Every structure is written in structure tokens, then in C-alpha cells.
Amino acid sequence: MGEPLPNMVLLAIPGFLVLIALEIVVWRLARRGRYETRDTAASLAMGIVHLGVGMATGALVFGVHLLVYQHRLFDLERSWWVFLLCFLGQDFAFYWSHRFAHERRWMWASHVIHHSSRHYNLSTALRQTWTGTLSLAFIFTLPLALLGFEPLMIFFFAGLSLVYQFWIHTEVIRTMGPFEWIFNTPSHHRVHHAFNPRYLDANYAGILIVWDRLLGTFVAEERAEPPRYGLVKNLATFNPLKIAFHEWLAILRDVVGSRSLREVLGYTWGRPGWSPDGSRKTSAILKAQWRQRALARAAAAERSSAGPSARS
Amino acid sequence: MEGIVLLIVPIGVLAAIGLTWLCGGWVDARIADAEEAGERLRELEPGFEVAEVCLAEGGAGAIVAGRYDQRPAIAVLFANGDELVSRVLHAADLRGVELGEEGGLLRIHTRDFTSPVIDLRLDPAEADGWRRRLAGGEAAHG
């Protein structure tokens, strides 16, 4: 293993706070973006505890990577192309980890915290989970360690990805021209944080939006439909404890009430919104219903524009 | 370096929260009229067909009757900070409905961890009417 690499997240924190202050001033003076005091307090409180939990559990996660690394398939020395490959590998692993975090309830219970704000500003970026290790999100980078990438390098790029993703949580920047083709941007990530049915389950990228474009999960922001931020079922609290654990408690309640192993598995590893009788709505159902309503509206508009002669 | 950063964090966080407050960030959402209540509910609960709206005192919330998933349903809107939150009241999620404050407060108890109690201040007669409708099982089933 080589020399330690810098902890990107820790080094960036003072910059995060300065940028949040700047965005608040822009919101006040130019009316771009939006802040709510209690929402910001909740987000920042979540961020502080996340930092502490990360320090406490980081050794465990790092240890698991080291364990896997001991059985590595290749010896990859530090060189520019190994760094480049590790960057690409980590970003691709993030895409899948993030996608699973939206598609599997066990992981969603941890990630939902980040989506629980109704606002989209730089403080929202810091509204982070306290239960990331429990959700097993780290398993997605284990294959990189198995391939022979140093755990230090993997963690360096994971930190870089988090730092990159901070600045895209803003409404101040609208679009960024050709940069939008390759990189994740504020516009792409606004879509990801929206609960409009059109925008559900889209744009999972960390740094490179190309993964979404290649894997069919890319959705562009439409000027005609501004994103509405938050959850399909929004929270009615600013209490960080309730925000952090509400979905875990919901899982527990569902599991306790389960009548079979199938139900237990469905409630824990099924899609968020899964229920045995289909009485709840997954994002796929919400999208299908939205499409049906859009088609019905278009058909009604066509009938009314055709006028009485068309019906005769 | 880590020590300095960890020292800066709480100060910076408190400063950011204070700055949003100074800039007018502590606001409660209000609903102007029945039309806006319907519009907000359709945004929050796509597919909800609004039939009847009853605004709470000062536009602090609303209770709405209509159809959802092709069945009669009652929903509520209430403020959480500067945003409105909605709940379609499913029978299975309701723990009880009661009146408070000489009949003008409709208090809905739910099984929802983040909104176990929803309060709406209404005209006493309207509050009692909605209480009876909810207690009588008009909430959505399924």
C-alpha cells in the first residue's frame, strides 16, 4: 500500500460552509434558489452526525476493503492509468450503489434521508444518512479492491465524488452547455431530487452522467415542468432523529406484520412502495399512472380540438 | 488540520442557520383559497380528483374530499415550514379523530411516524362534519 491520500471531504468542509453562506446571500439578493431556516438546520444537523458516524464506522468499512484486497487478482501499482481506472471504476460503482439505493428498500431506508428536504440548495447536499454502513452501500466498491485497486485509492475517489456532488445541489446554476453531455450537473441532479412522476428514478450518476445515458436512466430537465423536490410521500418533520430513522421504523412495522417469508423479503428488499396486495405505489406504478393520465388528457384535447363535425 | 476543521464546523453551521433566519427563512406555508388547495393537492398526490375543499383558519391547511384511485377519499394539506405536506387518509392509517377547543379544532391521529397528529382549525360546525365523515369510514380504503 502506498502513502496515505488526503481526506477530500474533511478538507472541503470549510469551503462547503462558505459556499452555503454565498448561496444564502444570492437567494436573498437575487431571489434564486430557496432556503428555509428549519430545513437548513435539519440538513446541517444530519451532516454533522453523518461526519461523526462516518469517522466511527469508517475503520470497519475500510477493514472490509482491506480484507478483500488481500485476495486481490492483480497488483496495481500507483500510476496515472491506475488512478484513471480507479476513478472510472469508483464512479461506476457509485452509479450502481445509488441505483440500488433507490430500487431496494433496505438501502432506500438509509438514502431516503438525503431526499427528504423539500428544498434544493447546497445545505441539502449535506443532509446525509447516519445508517449508510447498515444499508451495505459499501459492498459496491469491494470488486475494485478484489481487482487490486488500493482501498486508500478507492476511498480517495469516493471522497472526491462526494465533494464533486456538493456543488450540484443548487438552483442558482441553470444549465452548463456541453459540460452537461458528460458530467453530472445541477440540472441533471435537480431531476434526480424531484418527485414529479416524470422525473422519478432517474440520473443516478456521481460525477459522470454518461452512465445514465448508457444505461437508460437519463432524464433531462424540462423547462415546462420545474422539479418539485422531496419524496413521493413527504415528511412532516424537521426532527433529525425522525428523518434519520422513519423508514427503518416503517420497515420494522411491516416486517412485524408480515405473514410469510415472501412478505418479509418483499418489505425489506423489494422496491420501495412494494406491498403484497399492491395497495401501495412503487415509482414504476406512479410513472405508469402519470403516463395514462397524460395520454387521457392528450386524447381529450384531440377530441375537443376536432370539434362536433369530427364526431358526426 | 483535522482538529481545526472539526472546530470550524459547529461555528460555521450555526452561522449558516442564523444567516437563513436573518434573511427571512422562517416562514410557514399558507393556502390562499380553495383553488390553490386543489392545485397543491394535485401536485402532491397526482391523480387526486378534488371535489370539495375546506380551508383551515388563516389558510394554514385544508381538508379535501374527492376521488383517488377511482374511490372516494379524503386528504389533508398542512404546513411543514414553508412547504405543504399532504396525506391521503387511508382507513388503515387512521388511529382516531376528535374535536378540541370548543369544537373548532379537528385533530386527526395517524399511524404516520412523522405526522402522528394533524391539527386543522375549522369552523366548529365544519370540524364536526369532517369528524363524523372520517369516523364514519369515508377515508380511502385499500
Side-chain angles (χ1 to χ4, degrees):
Chain A
M1 287 253 283
E3 291 291 306
L5 293 164
N7 183 336
M8 297 299 287
V9 179
L10 209 57
L11 290 176
I13 286 174
F16 289 169
L17 292 169
V18 169
L19 286 171
I20 286 172
L22 275 176
E23 197 188 35
I24 293 169
V25 172
V26 169
W27 157 63
R28 181 65 184 152
L29 298 180
R31 289 288 147 199
R32 290 180 78 168
R34 213 157 48 87
Y35 273 85
E36 209 278 351
T37 305
R38 288 158 286 186
D39 175 83
T40 303
S43 294
L44 297 179
M46 305 293 304
I48 287 181
V49 178
H50 169 81
L51 195 66
V53 172
M55 285 175 170
T57 60
L60 172 72
V61 176
F62 189 74
V64 175
H65 280 77
L66 269 183
L67 199 68
V68 173
Y69 183 68
Q70 283 172 2
H71 304 281
R72 62 190 175 275
L73 301 174
F74 306 102
D75 282 311
L76 301 173
E77 299 286 322
R78 284 188 185 182
S79 64
W80 71 267
W81 65 269
V82 171
F83 269 91
L84 179 66
L85 282 178
C86 190
F87 162 70
L88 291 172
Q90 196 284 326
D91 202 48
F92 189 55
F94 177 86
Y95 169 89
W96 282 108
S97 158
H98 194 189
R99 186 167 171 173
F100 270 73
H102 281 261
E103 294 183 349
R104 297 294 141 202
R105 196 180 179 196
W106 187 265
M107 299 181 74
W108 174 242
S110 161
H111 186 58
V112 63
I113 282 90
H114 180 60
H115 286 269
S116 61
S117 173
R118 301 290 295 280
H119 295 77
Y120 190 77
N121 54 46
L122 293 175
S123 77
T124 311
L126 305 182
R127 185 180 281 230
Q128 292 287 341
T129 181
W130 301 351
T131 53
T133 305
L134 176 66
S135 78
L136 305 175
F138 64 88
I139 62 171
F140 289 84
T141 44
L142 291 177
L144 294 175
L146 183 66
L147 279 171
F149 291 103
E150 280 179 43
L152 280 173
M153 202 185 286
I154 298 167
F155 275 53
F156 170 77
F157 283 116
L160 188 71
S161 178
L162 272 177
V163 172
Y164 180 88
Q165 288 177 59
F166 171 76
W167 71 274
I168 60 178
H169 290 83
T170 185
E171 290 187 292
V172 174
I173 298 167
R174 294 202 172 115
T175 54
M176 302 182 73
F179 195 73
E180 306 267 338
W181 301 341
I182 298 168
F183 292 99
N184 199 4
T185 63
S187 174
H188 298 329
H189 207 58
R190 283 194 290 269
V191 164
H192 177 70
H193 272 258
F195 67 86
N196 318 41
R198 170 198 294 274
Y199 295 142
L200 290 174
D201 288 350
N203 300 2
Y204 298 114
I207 296 178
L208 300 171
I209 197 69
V210 289
W211 309 124
D212 285 284
R213 293 189 188 277
L214 288 170
L215 296 162
T217 48
F218 176 73
V219 175
E221 186 180 23
E222 302 275 343
R223 268 185 175 260
E225 187 165 347
R228 294 190 293 274
Y229 307 111
L231 303 169
V232 164
K233 184 181 177 186
N234 282 299
L235 304 188
T237 184
F238 294 116
N239 180 335
L241 281 169
K242 287 189 171 184
I243 295 170
F245 297 111
H246 75 276
E247 188 63 18
W248 290 111
L249 281 175
I251 290 178
L252 182 66
R253 188 182 286 171
D254 285 336
V255 166
V256 167
S258 293
R259 288 161 299 181
S260 66
L261 181 62
R262 178 184 165 268
E263 286 191 11
V264 171
L265 288 173
Y267 279 132
T268 49
W269 286 97
R271 284 178 175 263
W274 179 89
S275 56
D277 58 358
S279 58
R280 300 181 194 171
K281 293 178 181 179
T282 62
S283 54
I285 293 172
L286 289 167
K287 271 191 150 174
Q289 288 181 336
W290 164 72
R291 278 195 202 96
Q292 272 181 349
R293 284 194 300 274
L295 283 172
R297 272 198 304 275
E302 202 174 306
R303 276 198 303 277
S304 68
S305 68
S309 58
R311 289 196 294 270
S312 60
Chain B
M1 181 65 192
E2 283 189 10
I4 295 168
V5 171
L6 292 174
L7 199 69
I8 289 171
V9 168
I11 299 164
V13 162
L14 289 174
I17 294 166
L19 190 57
T20 62
W21 181 74
L22 282 173
C23 290
W26 194 299
V27 181
D28 287 324
R30 287 288 178 266
I31 307 167
D33 50 32
E35 194 181 331
E36 193 196 342
E39 205 175 298
R40 291 284 94 81
L41 186 61
R42 281 188 289 268
E43 278 175 12
L44 294 167
E45 305 287 349
F48 196 101
E49 296 168 36
V50 176
E52 185 186 350
V53 176
C54 179
L55 274 192
E57 194 181 287
I63 185 161
V64 183
R67 290 182 71 78
Y68 189 62
D69 284 341
Q70 283 114 40
R71 277 175 287 198
I74 293 176
V76 286
L77 283 168
F78 54 100
N80 185 53
D82 65 345
E83 289 285 348
L84 291 170
V85 175
S86 65
R87 291 288 182 267
V88 176
L89 299 173
H90 293 279
D93 298 331
L94 277 179
R95 289 175 57 231
V97 193
E98 61 182 5
L99 294 180
E101 291 181 12
E102 294 170 1
L105 181 75
L106 180 68
R107 174 160 283 177
I108 303 165
H109 297 269
T110 76
R111 294 184 205 284
D112 188 319
F113 180 58
T114 70
S115 52
V117 178
I118 300 167
D119 282 342
L120 294 171
R121 285 174 203 287
L122 308 171
D123 170 82
E126 282 181 325
D128 190 46
W130 286 102
R131 183 194 61 80
R132 277 189 277 116
R133 288 170 74 170
L134 284 167
E138 215 177 299
H141 291 266

